Amino acid sequence: MPVVTVTQINKYLSSVVRGDRVLQGIMIKGEISNFVCHYKSGHLYFTLKDKESMLKAIMFAQTASRLKFVPEDGMSVVVSGNITVYERDGVYQINVTDIIPEGIGKETAALEQLKRELAKKGVFDTAHKRSLPAMPKKIGAVTSLSGAAVRDIINVLSRRWPLCEVYAVNAIVQGESAPDSICRGIFRAEAAGCDVIILGRGGGSSEDLSAFNTEKAVYAVYNCKVPVISAVGHETDISLTDLAADMRAPTPSAAAELVSVSADNLFGRIDILEQKLQKAFSAVFLRAEEKLYRTAARLAVQSPENRLALSENQIINLEKRCRLALYAYLRCFELQVNEQIIYLESLSPLKVLSRGYSLVYSSDNLICSSDKLKTDDKISIRFEKGGAKAKITDIW
C-alpha cells in the first residue's frame, strides 16, 4: 500500500465530501456559539452545536451581506449550506449559504433585531418627541396620492381646519423603492416649510407595510426637524416609524383629527381666552388706577400749594404758641407784681393809719417819742383820712 502525505489525504477527503450529494445543500438545526464577524473581511465564523456535538461554520461576506439580521450567540437557527473540508487544518465545516432563525421567519427576526438596535440608540426615546403645533398653518401629507389615505386626510382637514394649507407629497409606500421614496417625501415636506407632517398609508399585510420598518424610513422620521405623525396601516399595526415618530395615529384620518382644530373647540378656546383677557385687562387697569392714585397723592403732598398750606399752618401754630407763651409770661409777671403790691401795701403807713393809728410831724419831722416835744410846740397830725394841727399843752 503506497504512503501518502497529509496534504494528499486532506485533498482526497475534501473531494469525497464535495462529491457526496447528501452533504451539499444540506439544512442543519443547532444553536450558534462562538460567533465572530471578522472586522476586515466581513466573514462570519461560528460554531453550530446541539446537546452532544459541535460543527464549525463559516459564512463568507458576500453571502452574509444578504442577511437581514445579525446572528447572535445562543440563537437557535436552521442553516443551509455545503459540508467542506478545510484542507490546511484537516477539519470539516459547513459553508453556510443561508440562516433562518428557528420558530420565526427571517423578516420577523430582522425586524426584531433592528427594533432592538434602534431602541439602544435612543431613536424611540420619549425625550426626543415634540408636541404638535396648536394651530398649524401648513400640514404636510407624505403618502400615495392615488390611495385613500390622502383623501381621508384632506376631507378631515377641510372639515375641521379649513384655514390650513395641505401640502401633499406623493410617495411610493410599497415595494423596494418605497423606503427611498418615503425619505424624499419627508425631506420635501420639511423643506416646503410644513409645521407638521403626516406620514401614512392604508392597511395591508406585513409585507405591504415593510417599507415603514426600514432603517432609512425610521431615521428620516427621527431626523425630521418638524413634528411627524405616523399613521401606517390599521389600528392594530405598529411599525417602526410609529415608534420613532413624535406621535402615532391608528389611521390617517385619526392623524388628521389630531393635528387639526375643530371650529367648535376653537370658538370655545376663543371664548376662554376672551374671558382671560378681560380679567387680565381689569386687573391691569385696577393696578394702574391704584398706582395713579398713589402717585397723585404723592404729588399732592409735594405740590407748592400743599407745601405753602403746611407752612401757613406751621406759622399759625407758631403764632398761637407765641401768644400762649406771651400770655403765660405776662400772667406770671402780673402775679409777681400783684404779690409785690400786696407786700408793699402790707408795709405802707396808710395801712397802719387805717387801723386807727396816726402820724405826728413837727416841722416835717416824724415824731416817734414825746421826748422830742416841748410844751407849746405846734405839731401836725395825719390820719387815714385828712389831718389836723395841734399845740402841745402837756407832755408825759
Side-chain angles (χ1 to χ4, degrees):
M1 186 175 183
V3 177
V4 296
T5 63
V6 174
T7 301
Q8 289 173 333
I9 191 66
N10 284 346
K11 286 184 177 181
Y12 173 75
L13 292 174
S14 177
S15 64
V16 171
V17 171
R18 283 198 306 269
D20 190 341
R21 293 184 179 180
V22 177
L23 301 178
Q24 307 302 309
I26 193 171
M27 298 179 68
I28 304 174
K29 182 174 71 172
E31 180 182 323
I32 295 176
S33 65
N34 302 320
F35 178 82
V36 175
C37 178
H38 196 273
Y39 71 95
K40 286 186 177 180
S41 65
H43 302 330
L44 306 183
Y45 300 92
F46 59 94
T47 300
L48 195 65
K49 67 177 183 178
D50 56 21
K51 293 182 179 180
E52 299 179 356
S53 301
M54 293 187 298
L55 174 65
K56 289 187 178 295
I58 180 173
M59 190 173 195
F60 294 107
Q62 185 175 1
T63 308
S65 64
R66 293 196 293 269
L67 284 177
K68 296 184 178 181
F69 70 99
V70 179
E72 298 176 351
D73 286 340
M75 183 180 290
S76 181
V77 296
V78 175
V79 300
S80 302
N82 304 319
I83 301 296
T84 60
V85 175
Y86 187 36
E87 297 178 5
R88 192 195 70 176
D89 294 342
V91 297
Y92 72 93
Q93 61 188 13
I94 181 169
N95 186 354
V96 180
T97 58
D98 196 9
I99 303 176
I100 302 174
E102 187 181 13
I104 58 175
K106 292 187 292 184
E107 298 291 339
T108 304
L111 178 60
E112 290 299 322
Q113 190 168 47
L114 178 59
K115 182 178 178 180
R116 289 195 299 270
E117 291 177 357
L118 293 173
K120 288 180 182 178
K121 295 178 180 178
V123 176
F124 304 145
D125 289 351
T126 56
H128 299 297
K129 299 185 184 301
R130 297 155 293 189
S131 58
L132 302 181
M135 290 184 288
K137 297 180 180 179
K138 192 172 186 179
I139 300 174
V142 180
T143 184
S144 174
L145 299 186
S146 61
V150 67
R151 293 195 296 272
D152 294 340
I153 293 172
I154 293 175
N155 289 337
V156 172
L157 292 178
S158 60
R159 172 174 53 85
R160 286 176 55 87
W161 188 233
L163 298 178
C164 74
E165 175 188 353
V166 180
Y167 185 78
V169 181
N170 186 40
I172 301 172
V173 294
Q174 186 174 331
E176 293 183 0
S177 59
D180 292 333
S181 180
I182 291 171
C183 294
R184 288 194 298 270
I186 293 174
F187 296 153
R188 280 186 57 190
E190 179 184 334
C194 293
D195 301 315
V196 63
I197 298 173
I198 299 175
L199 174 64
R201 63 153 289 162
S205 63
S206 58
E207 290 78 11
D208 295 337
L209 305 179
S210 61
F212 298 89
N213 289 321
T214 59
E215 189 172 3
K216 286 183 178 180
V218 170
Y219 273 110
V221 171
Y222 176 74
N223 293 321
C224 186
K225 296 180 180 179
V226 298
V228 177
I229 304 176
S230 180
V232 178
H234 298 296
E235 188 171 355
T236 56
D237 298 321
I238 298 179
S239 64
L240 296 185
T241 55
D242 289 340
L243 301 177
D246 298 282
M247 183 172 290
R248 174 187 178 265
T251 61
S253 298
E257 294 272 353
L258 289 173
V259 80
S260 59
V261 182
S262 68
D264 294 338
N265 292 338
L266 184 60
F267 289 142
R269 290 173 60 184
I270 291 175
D271 291 339
I272 294 173
L273 291 175
E274 185 178 3
Q275 294 175 4
K276 290 183 178 180
L277 182 62
Q278 290 178 351
K279 291 181 179 179
F281 178 77
S282 298
V284 171
F285 180 78
L286 289 175
R287 287 196 297 269
E289 189 177 22
E290 292 176 357
K291 186 177 180 180
L292 179 61
Y293 287 154
R294 290 194 299 268
T295 304
R298 287 197 298 269
L299 289 175
V301 170
Q302 299 297 329
S303 64
E305 294 83 357
N306 186 68
R307 296 179 70 177
L308 287 173
L310 291 175
S311 300
E312 184 178 2
N313 291 333
Q314 290 177 352
I315 292 172
I316 293 173
N317 291 332
L318 289 174
E319 184 180 1
K320 289 181 179 178
R321 290 172 61 185
C322 288
R323 287 179 178 177
L324 291 174
L326 180 60
Y327 175 79
Y329 176 77
L330 293 175
R331 180 62 180 169
C332 181
F333 183 76
E334 183 180 6
L335 292 175
Q336 292 177 356
V337 170
N338 291 333
E339 289 178 355
Q340 295 296 323
I341 291 174
I342 293 171
Y343 177 74
L344 291 175
E345 286 182 348
S346 66
L347 299 177
S348 174
L350 297 178
K351 285 291 184 181
V352 178
L353 296 178
S354 66
R355 292 197 297 269
Y357 293 95
S358 59
L359 297 175
V360 178
Y361 294 91
S362 175
S363 302
D364 297 330
N365 293 321
L366 181 64
I367 302 302
C368 296
S369 174
S370 60
D371 295 336
K372 295 181 180 182
L373 295 174
K374 296 182 292 182
T375 306
D376 295 330
D377 285 345
K378 293 181 179 179
I379 60 174
S380 296
I381 302 171
R382 181 164 180 184
F383 305 101
E384 178 187 5
K385 294 181 180 180
K389 291 184 179 292
K391 183 178 180 180
I392 300 298
T393 59
D394 193 10
I395 296 173
W396 65 84

